[in-house]
Amino acid sequence: MAAAGAHRPGPLKQQNKAHKGGKHSGSSQRRAGGRVPVKAQPRRRLRDLNRVDRRHQALQLRRQRKEAVLAEKRSLGSRDGPPHLVVVVLLHSRAAAHDTLRLLQSQDSAIVRADEGRAGGFVLLCPRLKQRWCFVTAQAGDLHTVLDLAKVADSLLFILDSVDGWDSAGEHCLSCLFAQGLPSYALAVPGGTDLPPKKRIDARKKLSKAIEKRFPEAKLFPLNTEQESSLLLRHLSSQKQRHLAFRDRRAHLLARAAEFVPSQDSDLVGTLKVSGFVRGQTLNVNSLVHIVGHGDFQVSQVDAPPDPLSLNPRVVKGQKRSQDMEVQDDSGNGADEMEEDVKVLMKADPSKQESLQSEVVPDPMEGEQTWPTEEELQEAEDSLKANRRVVKVPKGTSKYQAAWIVDDGEEGSEKDDDDDDMDDDLMEEAVSQEEESSEEEPGEEESETMTVSECLRDDQYDEKMEEDEQMLERYKQERMDEMFPDEVDTPRDVPARVRFQKYRGLKSFRTSPWDPKENLPRDYARIFQFQDFSRTRKNLFRQIEKEETEGASVGWYVTLYVCNVPVSVMESFKEGKPLVLFSLLPHEQKMSVLNFLVRRHPGNSEPVRAKEELIFHCGFRRFRASPLFSQHTSADKHKLERFLRPDAALVVTVYAPITFPPASVLLFKQRSNGMHDLIATGSLLSVDPDRIVIKRLVLSGHPFKIFTKTAVVRYMFFNRDDVMWFKPVELRTKWGRRGHIKEPLGTHGHMKCHFDGQLKSQDTVLLNLYKRVFPKWTYDPHVPEPVPWVRSESALPEREVEME
């Protein structure tokens, strides 16, 4: 009987009355008179199954998941799905790409065809295995090409060196790929056969140890024979596919062919015909498309030409049928047949087509009000009589902010904002002096020999020294901000009430109210804002999963007619750059305020100040902007950070087009020589213009005379009026005391302060002032091409090198 299992009570089990504890005996229980209500059968009881049924149910669920994974593998590279796109990434300068591609092309019963769109790429068709592959080569030093191809690649094939693995450029490339999101990958090591057997084994062990840190579960495939290349292909086709969320919810394609048709008005703008295989989701003609690195555009028409990579190509009439698959394939790829068989799938509907409007056109009359009534005028006069002090305030200023503005003062220039302008002026003066000196030198030294080259070398060296001095100054600023966070010196020539008139005091940074709609800049009139961004995102993703959209299905070979495209896009494609298209979700072309949660990359220690121009790789977008840095907290106000901290996660705020998370983000900083350094990685946090970023200023003073709980403080202000002006603001000390200003003493800024305890002589009195800040509108969708990364021989850890 014990083997039959435990007894399970049925729905008719006796239900006893609950114990009367006396705490919850209310009128409803007294009216029941001790009767127990009929207990409804819970859903859990309905789902209770015996042991055999539970085992069968688990087996069914496991079988369904397995069939879903197998169906995904079979569709990729099959006749009905898109070709298996494999991007070959060289991680070392000595990695042999030519030999690797030659081995992959030497498969039995396979058709090899050169890819028209990219130099060095080829297509591999295997009718016997019912598989087709597209191989594309990307150099590790070309950062934008690698990242763009990885956005749409089904698999990445990393080619390593047999001795060193990867060099510094390969290490930089891997860091960027891991931060962006890595699809399925494989590791191949060609060569190494010329080494002695013992050294070959030692190099293999060393390489395996280095790979375990970067790729813990990866398998290393040698690639020296045709049999090993067959094993690699089988691994690529059978491995589980990694999903990238930002591309799985959007239709995307890699251009296989492109044609530019100039418009009638100008040769610089025209229609771009892009042909490729649809991936990800169904492509709708009324949606906008984003060409990576070039911008957003509309699609006017979608055609369906014959598939150029068909596993069973058709034979042209009148041609003798041949047993050779290559002859049949060439005959099916004729231009005349493609022109005859092109079918128009759909054309854009102007009433349903998404608009390219990215900004709101602000109405200057939107903020105007009607003429006030007599009662309102009378109330205004009474309030003016009640207030003894009358000040002039900017339009839209609230009552409690007007108390901080003087009537005769000019707006104080902020020190932090002026530092960049001063640096620019100093740089311009230095450059002008160098130009003048360089113009005078040739005339004086025309008769001398071997002196000009030395002067040129000296000038170049001096330029490097100037960069070092600027870097040293930034290091000092970052160090001072760490030692004395947000502390500034009170100016002697300008009254503090004028210099800090835009700031206010808060009783509590965490709990004091701050209206998010107060005194917004003019740029906020140009952006879009959601009433509830998270709800809009959920509804949109739910529609993508459940509803079937009309358009080109995944795996179809289509031609898109992209309107009003600049000719530079076609020129970039002719140079060999990949042309990647993503369809946009609704509202993703509109500008708003984006917040990214990032963490400093451990390989970069250069100080990065707020409002410096950075390069963003956000999901499928690439742009330049000057962001703000703020703390990542759960409060409604967030303190501004002047530098990108290496020890904490920060939020980066910037004006940019709306993007629905999840989406990865990479932050780069461009050097003076054109190289891009990876400084931070993270993900998209939210699209929220109401996120309040508060800048804090701390004024410091020193106790001059200390009594029981009273002290005379000096050096915080330098005149009596400033002491009276900031009297309502609470004081604090570095040792945790709280206090307030009692009265000024004399006319030179000394003040009597009362605290909640006795001060120490070495303590410092602080006064906090706050102001809301906003990012600068510096969004630029055009990012310059980076200079290839400077390679070094090896990037393996030093411990592994010593073991050699």
Side-chain angles (χ1 to χ4, degrees), residues 613-675:
E613 186 182 75
L614 301 178
I615 298 173
F616 289 75
H617 285 249
C618 175
F620 54 88
R621 290 189 185 274
R622 185 165 65 235
F623 57 89
R624 291 185 293 176
S626 300
L628 293 179
F629 304 143
S630 59
Q631 294 180 354
H632 178 51
T633 59
S634 59
D636 60 342
K637 296 180 290 295
H638 312 273
K639 194 179 83 68
L640 175 75
E641 291 289 348
R642 289 174 169 80
F643 291 89
L644 187 62
R645 300 297 182 190
D647 54 349
L650 297 180
V651 176
V652 176
T653 304
V654 70
Y655 291 110
I658 294 171
T659 304
F660 290 98
S664 59
V665 62
L666 286 76
L667 269 64
F668 293 88
K669 185 177 180 181
Q670 186 172 358
R671 294 185 191 174
S672 57
N673 57 2
M675 296 176 61

Side-chain angles (χ1 to χ4, degrees), residues 181-209:
L182 200 64
S184 303
Y185 60 88
L187 304 177
V189 182
T193 56
D194 53 345
L195 296 175
K198 187 175 180 180
K199 289 187 177 180
R200 192 185 311 168
I201 295 174
D202 294 341
R204 183 66 181 269
K205 289 181 179 179
K206 172 190 169 184
L207 191 58
S208 299
K209 288 183 179 180

